[in-house]
Amino acid sequence: MFAFRLISYLPLWFLYLISDTFFIIAYYLIGYRKKVVRENLLHAFPEKSPQERNIIIREFYRNLTDSFAETIKLMTMGKAEIEKRFQLENMDLLRGLLAREQVIVGLTAHFFNWEGHPLAVRALVDERIEIVYQKVSNPFFEKLMRTIRSRFGGYLVEKSKFQRHFIKHRHHPRLIGLAADQRPNREDQRYHTYFMNRKTGFFEGAEKMAKKFDLTVIFSEVHKVKRGHYKFTYHFVTEPPHDTKEHSITEKFIELTEKNIREEPALYLWSHNRWKNSK
């Protein structure tokens, strides 16, 4: 842990030199999950030429290795640099909802850099943000990620413990951040619909929670301004009283996520085997 903290004090430009080395290894030498990436992009963008998809693949690997450098830097990055690198657009929406002492469900997907986004919200807007996360199996890296994610306050809840935690704290005003594009396990209840041209399973915990407990739902759109600089824009999705149509919130999330992917395809996590359990 001490070694990672020392590395995080290095300037980001120097960490990007290390990232460049890992990019060469991952992209050219070992082809880290390149088969999965190619297959995912072929299904997602059949209308694009192989050359166009290859450009996305190359940019994706750049973003992937850069995200490791940026995440380590987040361990010691100050508020001034966070504000410079992570632009938060339409923050009046979030501030207004928190001022009304509401519980808000914030939906997002796995766009780079998803680690910097919640840290920026806690550092620059409000510490009342709760992140639901998937526990890392390696104890050292689990401790490392919790150290980074818990800076500037806030609360972390492991996914398997979230349901009980939410019931206990359902009246505490806060923003609950969920990466709602994670792949459900085979035994999990899910909703199947088309996402990026393939039948895909989705968790519907966010929709069920919002409708049952009358929660407002927002979505964060992600764009990369330049290397190491990101813009997150908040969009209103729904508020109570919610409609009674099944899957309406999930469908809206899918629509917004697809739109974001098509605008910034290289920012999405294509190396994840998202469609492994798809029908």
Side-chain angles (χ1 to χ4, degrees), residues 110-156:
H110 282 89
F111 293 97
F112 300 114
N113 184 318
W114 64 79
E115 294 293 348
H117 180 200
L119 205 64
V121 176
R122 285 195 294 266
L124 307 174
V125 182
D126 198 303
E127 66 177 23
R128 289 176 296 171
I129 177 171
E130 180 176 285
I131 298 299
V132 183
Y133 76 102
Q134 180 71 50
K135 188 175 181 179
V136 180
S137 57
N138 183 287
F140 172 79
F141 285 105
E142 167 68 8
K143 183 179 179 181
L144 176 66
M145 294 313 300
R146 286 188 66 90
T147 299
I148 294 171
R149 290 166 175 169
S150 60
R151 292 188 67 205
F152 308 113
Y155 199 80
L156 300 174

Side-chain angles (χ1 to χ4, degrees), residues 3-17:
F4 276 95
R5 183 170 292 276
L6 285 180
I7 293 171
S8 74
Y9 281 113
L10 295 170
L12 195 51
W13 65 262
F14 186 85
L15 294 179
Y16 279 145
L17 294 178

Side-chain angles (χ1 to χ4, degrees), residues 40-71:
N40 286 342
L41 283 168
L42 178 61
H43 283 278
F45 299 102
E47 75 282 3
K48 292 186 181 295
S49 68
Q51 292 76 18
E52 289 173 318
R53 287 194 295 270
N54 283 336
I55 291 172
I56 296 173
I57 291 171
R58 181 183 171 87
E59 291 178 353
F60 161 75
Y61 279 97
R62 280 285 187 188
N63 290 329
L64 178 67
T65 56
D66 278 0
S67 73
F68 294 127
E70 292 162 0
T71 299

Side-chain angles (χ1 to χ4, degrees), residues 40-261:
N40 286 342
L41 283 168
L42 178 61
H43 283 278
F45 299 102
E47 75 282 3
K48 292 186 181 295
S49 68
Q51 292 76 18
E52 289 173 318
R53 287 194 295 270
N54 283 336
I55 291 172
I56 296 173
I57 291 171
R58 181 183 171 87
E59 291 178 353
F60 161 75
Y61 279 97
R62 280 285 187 188
N63 290 329
L64 178 67
T65 56
D66 278 0
S67 73
F68 294 127
E70 292 162 0
T71 299
I72 294 300
K73 186 62 182 177
L74 287 172
M75 196 172 186
T76 56
M77 187 180 289
K79 289 185 179 182
E81 189 170 3
I82 288 174
E83 185 173 14
K84 182 178 69 173
R85 294 185 175 276
F86 297 93
Q87 301 175 31
L88 304 177
E89 300 289 324
N90 198 18
M91 285 308 302
D92 288 343
L93 171 64
L94 180 56
R95 287 193 178 98
L97 294 171
L98 287 170
R100 287 154 56 183
E101 298 294 300
Q102 292 189 2
V103 177
I104 309 147
V105 178
L107 300 181
T108 187
H110 282 89
F111 293 97
F112 300 114
N113 184 318
W114 64 79
E115 294 293 348
H117 180 200
L119 205 64
V121 176
R122 285 195 294 266
L124 307 174
V125 182
D126 198 303
E127 66 177 23
R128 289 176 296 171
I129 177 171
E130 180 176 285
I131 298 299
V132 183
Y133 76 102
Q134 180 71 50
K135 188 175 181 179
V136 180
S137 57
N138 183 287
F140 172 79
F141 285 105
E142 167 68 8
K143 183 179 179 181
L144 176 66
M145 294 313 300
R146 286 188 66 90
T147 299
I148 294 171
R149 290 166 175 169
S150 60
R151 292 188 67 205
F152 308 113
Y155 199 80
L156 300 174
V157 184
E158 204 274 315
K159 188 179 71 173
S160 64
K161 301 176 181 178
F162 175 69
Q163 187 173 6
R164 180 178 295 180
H165 171 84
F166 175 78
I167 295 299
K168 183 178 179 181
H169 300 280
R170 63 186 180 276
H171 298 302
H172 295 174
R174 65 200 187 278
L175 169 66
I176 301 173
L178 295 167
D181 63 329
Q182 290 183 333
R183 184 187 72 219
N185 296 321
R186 289 188 180 275
E187 62 272 15
D188 292 326
Q189 291 184 350
R190 71 196 78 176
Y191 167 53
H192 278 94
T193 189
Y194 279 93
F195 172 59
M196 300 307 296
N197 301 320
R198 277 199 277 184
K199 205 68 174 292
T200 310
F202 282 88
F203 287 111
E204 285 209 285
E207 172 157 341
K208 295 181 185 300
M209 180 173 62
K211 290 183 174 179
K212 182 175 182 178
F213 296 99
D214 294 328
L215 309 181
T216 298
V217 182
I218 64 174
F219 174 84
S220 64
E221 178 184 346
V222 187
H223 291 281
K224 186 173 182 177
V225 180
K226 59 182 179 178
R227 195 177 197 183
H229 293 258
Y230 302 87
K231 181 172 71 173
F232 302 90
T233 304
Y234 297 96
H235 298 280
F236 172 81
V237 176
T238 183
E239 66 180 352
H242 298 292
D243 62 63
T244 57
K245 180 183 176 183
E246 285 190 315
H247 319 303
S248 58
I249 296 176
T250 306
E251 289 285 1
K252 185 64 177 177
F253 166 74
I254 294 169
E255 175 191 335
L256 291 168
T257 301
E258 277 208 3
K259 177 178 178 292
N260 202 162
I261 289 174

